Amino acid sequence: MEVFLQQLINGLTLGSIYGLIAIGYTMVFGIIGMVNFAHGDVFMVSAFIGLICVLLLTTVLGMSSIFLILAITLVVAMVFTGLVSWAIERVAYRPLRGSFRLAPMISAIGMSILLSNFVQVAQGPRNKPLPPMVPDVIVVMERNGYQVTLAYKQIIIMVVTATLLAGFWWLVQKTSLGRAQRACEQDRKMAALLGVNVDRTISLTFVIGAALAAVAGVMYLMYYGVVNFADGFVPGVKAFTAAVLGGIGSLPGAVLGGLLIGLIETLWSAYFSIEYKDVAAFSILVVTLIFLPQGLLGRPEVEKV
């Protein structure tokens, strides 16, 4: 029971990070029908931006307030990552919007490789560590010498994720930008005829998705305390798996899928084998695509005749 409770806490924390990344996949797919394979590397770039920002604030400026450092880092990472994603959409995806279906996918893979190699050259191939920012923990329960702990950084990750998701839900449901996004999702040509600026809406969708990935990147850095240029691939693919599991195109589905993937990964590591935790997560993607291709909360695609 103690092990299960500890893995439940760990799984929800990890799932929160996956959920934030998965929203970027599902937003872009929902609005232009394309899987943005570079999104995982955008997440990795944001983690490096967060690392550089934290080191500058602590070593150069001498700041010591953890919450102030974290707040500034989140803002800086969201702004710069949003700019990177805006540039990617403007340069690599928009010119290919009217071409054949595989062209933007190939371009996305190219951007993924470009970002990964750029960070490898700029920052080096080795892991980049960060001193523990929030090391304290709360002992939830103790039995037979086993402590179930809840770290403050886990609380921060869950609270920040829940707050951002609530704000994002309000943005999509209650604002003119959200209405424009939903209109473009249903029919871009009709939305343009009704006065919606489709190009601007799609660009802002990329920026918002990248900003959420930036938050996930900073949370990932704070949680694990290390980042590597290759960290965009596995978390990115798992977040994509979460988006597919929840129903790609569905925002609640992306969050639900992220939490489920996080829980599956941590529970599998605890009760079976940590070496095969990635296999377990990716097996979910295969099983979902075979038996439930629309995902848990996705809408079945109706073929028009």
Side-chain angles (χ1 to χ4, degrees), residues 249-260:
S250 166
L251 296 178
V255 179
L256 176 63
L259 293 176
L260 288 175

Side-chain angles (χ1 to χ4, degrees), residues 3 51 65 67 105 115 161-162 233 240 248 272 276:
V3 174
L51 173 68
S65 171
F67 289 100
M105 187 180 297
L115 290 175
T161 301
F233 180 69
F240 175 66
I248 194 160
F272 297 100
Y276 293 102

Side-chain angles (χ1 to χ4, degrees), residues 76-134:
V76 170
M78 291 170 76
V79 170
F80 279 94
T81 309
L83 286 174
V84 169
S85 189
W86 175 83
I88 291 172
E89 190 276 333
R90 190 70 182 83
V91 173
Y93 300 155
R94 189 182 296 184
L96 301 174
R97 203 175 292 161
S99 64
F100 66 103
R101 198 174 181 82
L102 282 178
M105 187 180 297
I106 294 169
S107 181
I109 294 172
M111 287 308 304
S112 171
I113 296 171
L114 173 68
L115 290 175
S116 177
N117 286 355
F118 172 75
V119 173
Q120 182 183 12
V121 171
Q123 295 293 321
R126 295 184 178 180
N127 290 337
K128 297 291 181 181
L130 180 73
M133 294 178 67
V134 190

